Amino acid sequence: MRTILAVLLILAVLLILAPLPSSPAAPPEHRRVREWGIELGVLPPGPLDAITDVAGVRVGQVTLVAGDSVRTGVTVVVPHPGNVFQDKCAAAIYVGNGFGKLTGIAQVQELGYLETPIALTNTLDVPTAAAALVDHVLRQPGNEQVQSVNPVVGETNDGRLNDIRGRHLRREHVLEALASARGGPVAEGAVGAGTGTVCLGFKGGIGTASRRLPPSLGGFTVGVLVQSNFGGILQVAGVPVGRRLGRYYLKDEVTRAADGSCMIVVATDAPLGARNLERLAKRAMLGLARTGGVSANGSGDFVVAFSTDPRVRTAHRSAGRTEIHEELRNDEASPLFLAAIEATEEAILNSLFMARTTTGVGGARVEALPAAQVAEMVKRAQR
């Protein structure tokens, strides 16, 4: 009996001392650019370093991966928790290069506001996403009499990895993304609308980042989300990474194509009207340029910018013939411009650093960025 008790006691001690099982660790290279010790720019990021650092902004995503050919999805950006159609946001759109299918551009440019969430998907599924946004608006309480909706849907062509002609996105996928939209951390890399994208010779995807101004400059936040799918010569913190890795535009016949697209969504809580939001959107293209993008002939590079500040958000609902609202003065806009540049640059790099090697339709394979090698390259150059 004593022998049995002794054995049981030993087993109990061993169980106590045994390490607890842990969940599989993430691949060592699957980290955001800042987590590699690479800091970009001079302005600090928000707590999440994401577009959701702008209060009220939510992101929802549905990733579609099936068999060896479906590599696509949808990503939605919801500007605020309320009824966006009834409580419109001041907004603007800037066209860096117009080879793209951005639904809703004309009304935003004409009237200067956004009345639906923003959806991103692949080129041939834009009509499906637009129809789903219309469904979403018409179903919302308070919109029973609505007869005109301007859905804003952007795209990039993921046909290198995805069976794009199959048009696999369904309305219910978009509605699911809208229903699941949340604040907090945003999934990046080969997810949502970035599942099948390619960027600067490597696997692209969804990326996000933010910048926060100091209190002396208003304390405003600028958040950016990108769907990266464009070509050029990759640069990280000014280091010509693409050239050193031997994968860059015009290196040889294989790399001559720089077409693709980049959708950039810029959110801010600063009180900017449509005119200054367009100026802010223009600066996002400078962030794209910092990463080595060239906005090639077949690249649809669009920026949608909006403000969540109630002072400019509700101006269109004025009961009288005129509207009065507060806007940030032109002279105060420059720090926001820098914030948009830095956040866009970092969002694009996050889309690369967080992506995984992906195989798709026809056996196509796109390698992920060798993040550890790139990080060491950048640190060595900075030293």
Side-chain angles (χ1 to χ4, degrees):
M1 188 67 175
R2 291 180 179 177
T3 303
I4 295 173
L5 289 174
V7 171
L8 291 175
L9 180 61
I10 292 171
L11 289 174
V13 171
L14 290 174
L15 286 172
I16 293 172
L17 296 178
L20 294 172
S22 59
S23 57
E29 296 197 7
H30 199 63
R31 288 183 274 166
R32 307 180 82 194
V33 62
R34 192 169 288 269
E35 292 172 333
W36 284 102
I38 301 172
E39 295 191 6
L40 305 165
V42 297
L43 293 171
L48 299 170
D49 197 12
I51 194 171
T52 46
D53 282 323
V54 179
V57 174
R58 295 170 294 153
V59 175
Q61 305 191 77
V62 169
T63 300
L64 301 179
V65 175
D68 59 2
S69 60
V70 180
R71 304 289 186 270
T72 193
V74 61
T75 299
V76 297
V77 178
V78 184
H80 62 75
N83 185 327
V84 180
F85 187 89
Q86 298 294 337
D87 195 4
K88 298 174 174 59
C89 291
I93 293 174
Y94 178 69
V95 181
N97 192 67
F99 193 98
K101 292 79 188 168
L102 177 58
T103 297
I105 181 173
Q107 183 171 310
V108 174
Q109 289 182 325
E110 184 72 19
L111 300 182
Y113 56 69
L114 186 70
E115 64 184 30
T116 73
I118 300 162
L120 307 177
T121 188
N122 72 72
T123 306
L124 296 186
D125 278 326
V126 168
T128 300
L133 284 180
V134 172
D135 289 344
H136 169 74
V137 171
L138 295 182
R139 294 173 185 176
Q140 286 187 296
N143 294 347
E144 291 80 7
Q145 304 304 314
V146 170
Q147 296 185 357
S148 173
V149 181
N150 185 53
V152 175
V153 182
E155 55 80 28
T156 71
N157 192 309
D158 57 15
R160 182 170 170 184
L161 288 168
N162 175 49
D163 171 31
I164 193 169
R165 288 171 60 89
R167 298 193 290 175
H168 299 280
L169 187 74
R170 301 288 180 261
R171 290 191 191 188
E172 53 265 31
H173 296 140
V174 183
L175 295 173
E176 180 185 344
L178 288 164
S180 65
R182 297 289 185 273
V186 177
E188 298 175 289
V191 297
T195 303
T197 63
V198 183
C199 182
L200 294 164
F202 301 92
K203 182 67 188 75
I206 296 296
T208 189
S210 70
R211 290 295 185 272
R212 178 169 289 177
L213 301 188
S216 61
L217 296 175
F220 302 117
T221 298
V222 174
V224 172
L225 181 141
V226 304
Q227 177 192 20
S228 67
N229 191 51
F230 60 93
I233 305 168
L234 175 61
Q235 294 187 121
V236 179
V239 179
V241 167
R243 184 172 179 179
R244 293 184 181 180
L245 292 175
R247 194 177 304 182
Y248 55 89
Y249 177 49
L250 297 183
K251 178 187 178 231
D252 50 40
E253 289 297 319
V254 176
T255 59
R256 285 189 62 182
D259 295 339
S261 288
C262 190
M263 282 299 309
I264 304 172
V265 179
V266 181
T268 184
D269 55 7
L272 300 181
R275 180 180 55 80
N276 267 329
L277 283 168
E278 183 180 5
R279 299 177 73 205
L280 188 71
K282 290 178 180 178
R283 272 59 181 192
M285 288 299 298
L286 299 181
L288 183 147
R290 281 189 176 187
T291 67
V294 296
S295 282
N297 174 70
S299 187
D301 303 321
F302 296 88
V303 188
V304 183
F306 64 86
S307 170
T308 63
D309 190 294
R311 289 171 288 184
V312 294
R313 200 168 78 199
T314 59
H316 70 281
R317 294 195 297 174
S318 174
R321 293 181 181 275
T322 60
E323 60 184 36
I324 299 174
H325 57 269
E326 295 182 42
E327 288 188 31
L328 201 67
R329 296 173 57 233
N330 291 340
D331 291 345
E332 301 296 323
S334 293
L336 293 169
F337 295 163
L338 178 60
I341 294 169
E342 291 187 3
T344 302
E345 177 188 17
E346 187 166 334
I348 291 171
L349 293 178
N350 278 334
S351 77
L352 287 159
F353 273 76
M354 292 294 285
R356 300 176 186 271
T357 297
T358 302
T359 57
V361 63
R365 178 183 174 92
V366 178
E367 300 288 335
L369 183 75
Q373 183 180 353
V374 170
E376 180 56 34
M377 197 180 296
V378 173
K379 292 175 184 177
R380 187 164 57 246
Q382 291 176 336
R383 286 195 297 267

